[in-house]
Structures are given as structure tokens and as C-alpha cells.
Amino acid sequence: MGSRVRVWLNRTYAENVFFMDQLRNNPQHRAVEIHATHGDADSPVLAAADTAETEPEGLSPRAYVEYALDMCARRRVDVFVPVLHQDAIVAQRAEFAALGTALLAPRAEAVAVFHDKAVAYQAVEAVGIPVPPWYRVRTVEELIAAVEELEGAGQRACFKPAAGAGGVGFRVITRTPFSLMHLNGFPSAYVPLDLVVEALRTAAEPVDWLVMPHLGQPEVSVDCLTGPDGRVRMAIGRTKNGRRRGFTLDDAWIEPARLLAEAFGLHYLSNVQFRMYGDEPVLMDVNTRPAGGLHQIAQCGVNAPWAAVQLALGEETGELVPPFLGPDYTVVAGPRPVRPVPLPAQRTDPGVPTLSAMPAQATEPGAAQPAPVVTTAPAVPARADASATAAIAPA
């Protein structure tokens, strides 16, 4: 059965409770001990771990590396899956290796390339991967020029930070004047151009945005597993079109993702996202970490997190070819345990109404949404000391 494997996940997405489930439910029935740290004491990943701690706040990247090295030494970590400060951590891979800790993360050069989306687009174009038209914007004048050029070509412009993860900071630009229409219903990703211009003119510091066309569906996220030898062991596409989700092995998505993983050394788990620009699939983003929705490919009979840990430990997995593709599905939020905390004193004044629960936040159709939770994913049973639950959402 093999010796116990100790795995540490630092500050990460709440959906990675499913990543932890898959490590425990590995096909080799290997014992796995999971340590988790997070800045949010109520993150579900802390409750799902075997041991957990809250992370210190305000550390510089180098100070965080020192904290991580100490953690790996104290916890005798075999495999560390870094998300927060991934770039600073992988730059010190040799220091972690000296402690006997393998980093489940790409090499430093790959992380650096894909940290900046403008640098990434230039790099992938050089190896023949199509990207959408894009403009790097830091000033009002550059923003207006980029928007007018896209609109002149019949495109709707959108922008997002040049560095960032997920849909944080993504907005779609409209010419519709601000009105009560924008105050009815739920918040939207659509924002009038004049408000963006005014915000830029009054900003205390410059922005660093990419402006590009609003790309069409489907969106396809290809999860890749690549060994430290640079050879891809797995590439499976997850499709998204409105509420519908599915899976694909179509070469139109898979081959560009495999090329990127091998050309740039995206070792272990990475995620390559595509959308449509007209009739052509183009690159949207590259994540040098396990995707929040990685657990969804368990519906194809593949345990990617465990295979990645095997590779990090120097164990060969061979090619991971899904024995089948799961059916199309949709997603809803679901509860997960959180660690118990003392509740503050409750008001007992007569006649003062209290709320029994906080209503779930709804999202307007078309707005940027948090990463979904698959309803068919296995649930973690509540621990004996867990007295509350929380719906999963990205951290």
C-alpha cells in the first residue's frame, strides 16, 4: 500500500475540498494526510483537511517563502501544492527539495510567463497558438483608442487586469448611459464607457488592463497533467455553454493545450482556456495551477490530483486516457462543513427581529460568475466537531 503521503495546500480556492477528496480516494488506497492553510478561518478547505492553520497576514513574498519552508519542515510535507505566492515559491524549488518536499507546480520560467497576460499572449503567438486581438491599456487615451478600434470592427470591447486569476476585474464595456436600468435587478459585468473613463481620470494610480473583444461560447478549459520530463500525460477539455457543461477530446482544443504545456514546461497540473473569436478557437487564459473545476473530470473516470501527486513523488503514471466521457450536466452550489467557532453574544432585547439565515447572493445572467460546484461530486461527511456549513465559492 505504501507509506503515508503528507500533502499541504496553502491559500487556495474553496472548491479544492474536492481536490482533497480525490487525494484520499486514490485508486492505490494510499494513506494521505492533508494539511491546509488559509487567511479565512471559515474557508471550507480548513475544515476538510486533517490539520489546518490560519496563515499570517502581511508577509512579503520572501517572508512567505520562509514561512512555507518552516511549515514544510515542521509538518514533514512530501508534496506542497502552492497557489498563493506561487512565483516566489517555485523560484526556491531547491530549498524545498533539500527538505524532502516536492513542489506540485510548474518551473519558475513558466509561472513568470503566464503571470502577465500580455507577455503570455506574445509568447504563445510565437509558437503558433492563435489569440484574440488585444491592447495593453494604462491611460484614458489608450482605453478609448482600443475600444473605438474594436467597435469599428464590429466587436464589443471588454477588459480585465493584465495580471490576475479567474474573472476578477473582468468587465464588458457598453455605450448605454448609466440609468435606473443599471440599478434594477442584480449587479452586472456591463459598465458604461463614460464611467470607466471618469474612474480612470480620477484614479490615484494607473491601471494595467488588457482590452479585447468579448469572445463567444463555448468556453473550453483543458486540464493538463505534465510530468517533470515535459511530456503530457493527460489533456481533457471541460466545455461550458450557458448553464450546460460537458467534456471533449476534440483536437481543436486538446492539441493547442498540449503544445503549450510541453513548449513552456507547464509541469504537473495546469489549465488552458479557450473561447471563440468568430469561427476560430483562440486562447483566453492559462493557469499554472490546478483549476477550481478540476474535480469535474472525475466524471470521466480520471483522478488527476492523485496522478499529479504520484508524478511529484517520482512515480510514473503512464498516459491517463479517460475510459469514457461523462454526460452533459449543470451545476448548483452546495454546502460544505466549516470549522466551529464561538458565536458572538446574541441580542435578547424583546421586539428586536433576528434573521435566521443570510440569503444566497444571486447573479444576473451574463454576469461573471464564481466557479461552479458539480452536484455529482462526492461530499465530505461532516466531522463530529463541525457545527456550521458554508456554500462553496472561490476563495
Side-chain angles (χ1 to χ4, degrees):
M1 184 177 294
S3 60
R4 179 182 301 271
V5 180
R6 295 180 178 86
V7 180
W8 173 28
L9 283 75
N10 75 341
R11 193 175 310 197
T12 187
Y13 298 98
E15 273 197 319
N16 273 337
V17 293
F18 299 128
F19 187 102
M20 298 156 75
D21 291 345
Q22 290 183 276
L23 292 183
R24 292 191 178 103
N25 298 323
N26 64 81
Q28 279 73 42
H29 305 290
R30 188 96 167 262
V32 177
E33 180 179 295
I34 300 176
H35 183 64
T37 59
H38 205 285
D40 178 5
D42 290 331
S43 171
V45 298
L46 298 184
D50 297 294
T51 59
E53 301 176 34
T54 53
E55 294 186 354
E57 296 292 342
L59 295 182
S60 68
R62 180 59 211 182
Y64 191 92
V65 170
E66 294 299 328
Y67 159 77
L69 287 165
D70 178 68
M71 181 71 72
C72 289
R74 286 193 294 110
R75 294 285 177 178
R76 294 181 294 162
V77 173
D78 298 305
V79 178
F80 177 21
V81 187
V83 173
L84 180 67
H85 291 311
Q86 185 191 65
D87 53 345
I89 289 166
V90 297
Q92 307 302 325
R93 189 182 298 269
E95 293 187 54
F96 288 93
L99 297 174
T101 299
L103 298 181
L104 202 153
R107 61 188 189 181
E109 296 84 356
V111 174
V113 167
F114 293 105
H115 176 74
D116 185 309
K117 293 178 174 60
V119 173
Y121 280 169
Q122 290 174 328
V124 300
E125 280 187 293
V127 298
I129 305 296
V131 301
W134 58 276
Y135 308 84
R136 193 160 200 163
V137 163
R138 294 185 175 92
T139 67
V140 168
E141 293 73 23
E142 290 173 342
L143 172 70
I144 293 173
V147 171
E148 289 181 346
E149 188 158 346
L150 287 171
E151 290 179 343
Q155 305 290 332
R156 170 172 279 175
C158 62
F159 65 88
K160 58 185 177 182
V168 176
F170 171 80
R171 296 293 186 273
V172 181
I173 292 175
T174 75
R175 296 280 187 166
T176 305
F178 187 79
S179 68
L180 281 177
M181 177 188 71
H182 295 90
L183 300 178
N184 291 326
F186 300 104
S188 167
Y190 290 81
V191 58
L193 176 62
D194 59 338
L195 294 187
V196 180
V197 168
E198 181 62 24
L200 279 179
R201 285 188 171 136
T202 58
E205 55 188 36
V207 298
D208 188 5
W209 291 342
L210 291 191
V211 176
M212 61 183 61
H214 190 212
L215 301 174
Q217 293 184 326
E219 179 178 319
V220 179
S221 294
V222 181
D223 294 306
C224 294
L225 174 64
T226 307
D229 59 358
R231 182 166 59 86
V232 173
R233 308 300 200 278
M234 179 202 80
I236 302 173
R238 292 182 284 114
T239 65
K240 180 166 64 175
N241 198 336
R243 290 185 177 273
R244 180 173 290 271
R245 306 288 189 271
F247 304 98
T248 182
L249 295 177
D250 191 320
D251 285 346
W253 318 100
I254 301 300
E255 288 308 312
R258 293 179 70 98
L259 173 59
L260 283 176
E262 292 179 348
F264 292 97
L266 294 174
H267 299 165
Y268 305 109
L269 290 167
S270 61
N271 176 258
V272 184
Q273 300 175 0
F274 301 92
R275 272 197 174 226
M276 299 298 294
Y277 179 60
D279 296 328
E280 180 184 34
V282 294
L283 181 74
M284 184 170 68
D285 206 355
V286 176
N287 295 308
T288 60
R289 52 167 175 76
L294 176 69
H295 63 277
Q296 295 167 8
I297 64 172
Q299 295 183 83
C300 300
V302 174
N303 187 329
W306 177 247
V309 166
Q310 285 185 286
L311 288 175
L313 293 172
E315 302 170 7
E316 182 51 59
T317 63
E319 297 292 326
L320 270 68
V321 179
F324 53 85
L325 292 182
D328 285 3
Y329 60 97
T330 190
V331 294
V332 296
R336 296 288 297 207
V338 295
R339 296 193 299 176
V341 295
L343 292 175
Q346 301 296 301
R347 294 187 61 173
T348 58
D349 299 349
V352 178
T354 59
L355 295 177
S356 59
M358 181 67 69
Q361 184 179 13
T363 306
E364 182 184 16
Q369 300 180 4
V373 175
V374 184
T375 56
T376 55
V380 171
R383 296 170 182 258
D385 60 353
S387 59
T389 59
I392 297 293

